[in-house]
Amino acid sequence: MDAYSMSFSTGVRRLTSRIYHDNLSRPQAFYSQFETPELSLKHMSEMTHVAKSEAPSVGNKPHVGIVGAGFAGLRCADVLLQHGFRVTIIEARNRLGGRIHQERLPNGHFVDIGANWIHGTEDNPILDMAKVTNTAVEGFNHPALIIDENGEPVPADAASGYTVLMWNIIEDAFAVSNKHSSDIDPAKTLLDFFKEQVLIKIPETEEGYEKKRRTLLCLAESWGAFVGGPVGRQSLKFFWLEECIGGENLFCAGSYHNILRLVAKPAVDGADIRYETQVSDIYGRSATDNNTVRVKTINGQVLDFDELVVTTPLGWLRQNPKAFHPGLPDRLSQAMQNIGYGSLEKVYISFPKAFWLGSSPDGRPPFKGFCQWLSPTYVTTSNPDRWNNEVVELGSIPSPDGHPTLLFYTFGPESHHLTSTVRSLPTKTEKEEFLFSFFKPYYSRLPSYREDHPDCQPTAYVSTDWLHDELAGNGSYCNFQTGLQEGDRDILEMRAGVPEEGIWLAGEHTAPFVALGTVTGAYWSGEDVARRTKVKTCPREQDNDPPPPPKGGICELPDSNPGAQKEGLAIIAGDRATEHDSFSANSLIEIIKGVVGIIVVVKCCFYP
């Protein structure tokens, strides 16, 4: 999940929402309890000291291997280290973060190549860390700009009406999916639901109903930027699994740069990190002669562990079932194949100035926030299939984080076309010319664009290519497509792993239902699997909740490539941290009501 600023999940909905049943059934440690930043920084220092000075010898505590140094692996390492475990992280790349990664534009700003949203503001540890690291976030609470199929801007009032209608139908789809999932045909799509609803929301008695219906259905296609795939393939039966944590979704305007370093600090300080070490085979206990879990790498290394946590992306698991010995249980293998894997990609295009924020000669207001170009008929050569295009502009973000850049989101066939074409071009200049030309029909329709003005000439780009990244599993994040029969059970199967073989799974695809496909979900999954590993290996010890997330410190990530340029990272300073919002009485009452309601009414709905 990546694009869109939105909010669902009212207190009433939570009494019947399956995602909240699942989340409340998880250990309470999923809800991070932050002190003030000053106490948090002190606590972080104490925790780091304990991990270093009191870690027992190898013979006293198990040695846990973690495959992958994304948010799931880093958080898992953090929790295990704080409980005294010996931890080795095996990372195929020469950096930490996995699908959380940044590149620097020529204008000096970091931009996220992977995730760049924080999904939900209620009890979200990622938002808490954004506050501690003074990472700017943005809600983009501006009216959306919609460009119709003929390239003309939809009047503001009409655009607002379409947007409200779309989100009302989305929320209705969540409600129907949540309540009637067992009765919904697995072949029915979210687009099918939209087609039914537009007939009701826009009756034939309404003037211009045909064009309005067509426009709304085109706008619905933009939902694909959220799930990373076309809405015509989004399962309605399991659409409820796409619902997020309550509260607003926030764009990480300052990038995940500092949050990553905060999450990584405990592992950098206390774990053995093996960079550029790619796993080829994983052997469970029953396949080794010494009751350990064994990892073989492509360069011939053999590493033995007491337990192994595999945090590779779902796409990698789907493509490498033969890496596991013995083979994974049939139900688990099937679950991995059942859950979809998205194709969201991003293209950043920078300009000398944010021309779209200026006064337009034709009287159009400045553009801020999101813009959608719907099913364009005016780009027959480069876009014959009339793919929607969507952008979020970064120029209106307050200084110092704003910059004159447009961020385009693509998915599905358009992502495949763009990444394949860019990949095929031999020079950077050719790649640049292709992307500038491809997106020009869209950005040239923004307010204040002038063909001959230097401020309107693109100067740089950054484009992603997760679809051709084998380590990312050739995609972006999990989603739920048509044909899915037991999506919730599939997630639970992956979340369980194969503990009898000493193999555990973590990542955004094993997260609590409320956070599937998100950074928060990956983080929580690492925390949860660390807790379960601890319970299994140290059954006589009291099972305390995992420690809260790290609260502060300075972290310079090691660079395993000596030729790479290092960036100076002065990151987490106590005097820059903002105080965490107080917990309101109303919020407490709402949670108590929700818990009581669930206990009384739907206790039997909890998964074991």
Side-chain angles (χ1 to χ4, degrees), residues 472-484:
N474 301 106
S476 49
Y477 46 82
C478 71
N479 60 21
F480 309 95
Q481 299 181 7
T482 51
L484 196 57

Side-chain angles (χ1 to χ4, degrees), residues 282-303:
I282 296 171
Y283 297 85
R285 294 191 195 287
S286 65
T288 63
D289 54 5
N290 57 356
N291 199 37
T292 62
V293 188
R294 180 166 297 161
V295 169
K296 285 188 177 180
T297 70
I298 60 173
N299 60 0
Q301 294 182 65
V302 176
L303 304 170

Side-chain angles (χ1 to χ4, degrees), residues 13-33:
R13 285 281 302 281
R14 292 177 197 181
L15 295 178
T16 56
S17 173
R18 298 168 184 232
I19 60 171
Y20 282 93
H21 299 174
D22 177 68
N23 210 30
L24 286 171
S25 70
R26 310 302 299 162
Q28 196 61 25
F30 280 126
Y31 301 96
S32 59
Q33 302 298 317

Side-chain angles (χ1 to χ4, degrees), residues 301-341:
Q301 294 182 65
V302 176
L303 304 170
D304 283 354
F305 303 101
D306 296 296
E307 304 287 333
L308 184 71
V309 179
V310 180
T311 73
T312 55
L314 174 61
W316 188 92
L317 294 171
R318 287 161 52 107
Q319 294 172 6
N320 292 277
K322 294 183 178 180
F324 293 89
H325 311 277
L328 296 173
D330 290 344
R331 183 63 185 86
L332 175 57
S333 296
Q334 189 59 53
M336 292 174 176
Q337 299 301 324
N338 290 344
I339 301 302
Y341 201 53

Side-chain angles (χ1 to χ4, degrees), residues 341-596:
Y341 201 53
S343 55
L344 187 74
E345 300 286 358
K346 303 178 179 74
V347 177
Y348 294 85
I349 299 180
S350 291
F351 296 81
K353 291 184 179 180
F355 65 84
W356 52 87
L357 298 178
S359 298
S360 180
D362 59 4
R364 292 171 63 188
F367 157 56
K368 297 180 179 180
F370 279 94
C371 177
Q372 281 113 1
W373 292 267
L374 305 182
S375 190
T377 60
Y378 46 88
V379 200
T380 56
T381 302
S382 61
N383 186 5
D385 294 320
R386 299 174 62 182
W387 299 311
N388 280 16
N389 274 284
E390 178 173 14
V391 79
V392 58
E393 60 80 29
L394 309 183
S396 65
I397 296 172
S399 179
D401 299 292
H403 49 102
T405 300
L406 298 173
L407 165 54
F408 288 88
Y409 289 100
T410 69
F411 58 88
E414 184 177 27
S415 284
H416 285 272
H417 168 66
L418 291 175
T419 56
S420 296
T421 303
V422 169
R423 192 176 184 83
S424 70
L425 296 172
T427 68
K428 182 178 180 181
T429 298
E430 290 175 284
K431 298 175 193 292
E432 181 179 87
E433 290 176 351
F434 166 71
L435 289 172
F436 290 172
S437 175
F438 183 89
F439 288 105
K440 183 177 179 180
Y442 312 112
Y443 67 70
S444 64
R445 282 169 167 78
L446 293 177
S448 301
Y449 177 83
R450 287 183 288 172
E451 177 76 29
D452 58 348
H453 199 285
D455 290 346
C456 301
Q457 308 307 312
T459 57
Y461 81 94
V462 168
S463 64
T464 67
D465 190 3
W466 297 109
L467 283 168
H468 294 93
D469 187 330
E470 293 184 6
L471 298 179
N474 301 106
S476 49
Y477 46 82
C478 71
N479 60 21
F480 309 95
Q481 299 181 7
T482 51
L484 196 57
Q485 301 275 355
E486 295 183 304
D488 48 352
R489 282 290 169 187
D490 291 330
I491 297 298
L492 293 174
E493 286 289 337
M494 291 191 290
R495 191 187 296 170
V498 196
E500 64 273 19
E501 292 285 353
I503 297 172
W504 309 80
L505 302 178
E508 45 87 11
H509 51 287
T510 71
F513 292 160
V514 75
L516 288 164
T518 70
V519 179
T520 304
Y523 183 88
W524 274 341
S525 74
E527 181 175 278
D528 180 49
V529 81
R531 177 191 63 82
R532 289 187 286 134
T533 302
K534 174 179 175 293
V535 170
K536 178 188 175 186
T537 56
C538 306
R540 296 183 180 181
E541 293 189 11
Q542 182 180 359
D543 179 29
N544 297 320
D545 286 336
K551 312 299 197 302
I554 304 291
C555 176
E556 173 84 28
L557 293 191
D559 193 338
S560 62
N561 182 355
Q565 181 178 359
K566 286 194 174 184
E567 306 290 350
L569 302 174
I571 298 176
I572 320 301
D575 57 355
R576 296 181 62 197
T578 57
E579 191 164 322
H580 188 271
D581 297 334
S582 60
F583 194 79
S584 68
N586 288 338
S587 298
L588 181 59
I589 291 171
E590 181 177 304
I591 287 178
I592 291 173
K593 285 181 178 178
V595 173
V596 172

